[in-house]
Amino acid sequence: MFSFRTLSAAALICTLAGGSALAQTGNDVRIIPGADAVAWQPAPPMFPSGTRLSFLYGSADKAGPFTLRVMIPAGSVIPPHTHNMDEMLTVLGGSIHHYIGPTITADQDKVLTAGGFVHLPPNVPHALKAGTQGAIVQVSGTGPFTMTYVNPQDDPRHTNR
């Protein structure tokens, strides 16, 4: 039996308050001209130490579409967790090991490199580990967004980051 703990995306938004590299017009068009214009900030403590995030569009704690990027240090693990919404993940750089299921097992290991894509329906347990060069992934979905660790003890907030 697993316990579940919901982690609110509001923590993401609070952590990411501040400047933006987005160009915006009156009709909510967003343009980021290149990778050097992405505004990275430290991820909330619910992510592995050294992880950085950038919200490209939308707000994960409100209804509507959002897109964010996650920069994950080499070898970092995001333990098994679920989301309350469909998740679309694309690897932009580096590589990840992606696992489907409530535990990380070798038979579930799928290596994804730049251009790799995963769609997960709501509440599908999954985990990932950044490759030896780290990884940059882009995640899109429709908020509000929550993250629930399958095992609450896997939450990095319970360890000495």
Side-chain angles (χ1 to χ4, degrees):
M1 175 183 283
F2 295 102
S3 324
F4 289 82
R5 178 178 177 144
T6 300
L7 305 171
S8 172
L12 293 172
I13 303 308
C14 292
T15 300
L16 297 174
S20 175
L22 302 177
Q24 181 174 350
T25 65
N27 61 0
D28 204 29
V29 171
R30 310 266 185 188
I31 298 171
I32 301 173
D36 59 342
V38 174
W40 293 100
Q41 298 189 27
M46 64 198 285
F47 289 94
S49 181
T51 301
R52 299 182 61 80
L53 294 178
S54 179
F55 271 89
L56 305 179
Y57 180 80
S59 178
D61 69 339
K62 295 180 182 164
F66 71 88
T67 299
L68 62 98
R69 288 193 184 157
V70 185
M71 184 184 301
I72 310 163
S76 293
V77 175
I78 299 178
H81 61 281
T82 61
H83 302 292
N84 62 318
M85 44 117 223
D86 283 81
E87 176 185 29
M88 279 73 59
L89 178 146
T90 302
V91 178
L92 300 179
S95 64
I96 62 169
H97 296 259
H98 196 276
Y99 306 87
I100 303 290
T103 59
I104 295 175
T105 60
D107 64 325
Q108 292 294 325
D109 186 4
K110 302 290 185 225
V111 177
L112 303 169
T113 59
F117 174 81
V118 174
H119 166 261
L120 294 169
N123 302 313
V124 172
H126 60 284
L128 60 87
K129 178 181 178 183
T132 58
Q133 302 298 311
I136 296 176
V137 299
Q138 184 162 297
V139 177
S140 296
T142 302
F145 166 91
T146 61
M147 182 171 172
T148 304
Y149 279 100
V150 171
N151 179 351
Q153 294 309 308
D154 287 339
D155 184 335
R157 293 177 291 190
H158 297 301
T159 64
N160 293 326
R161 292 177 56 133

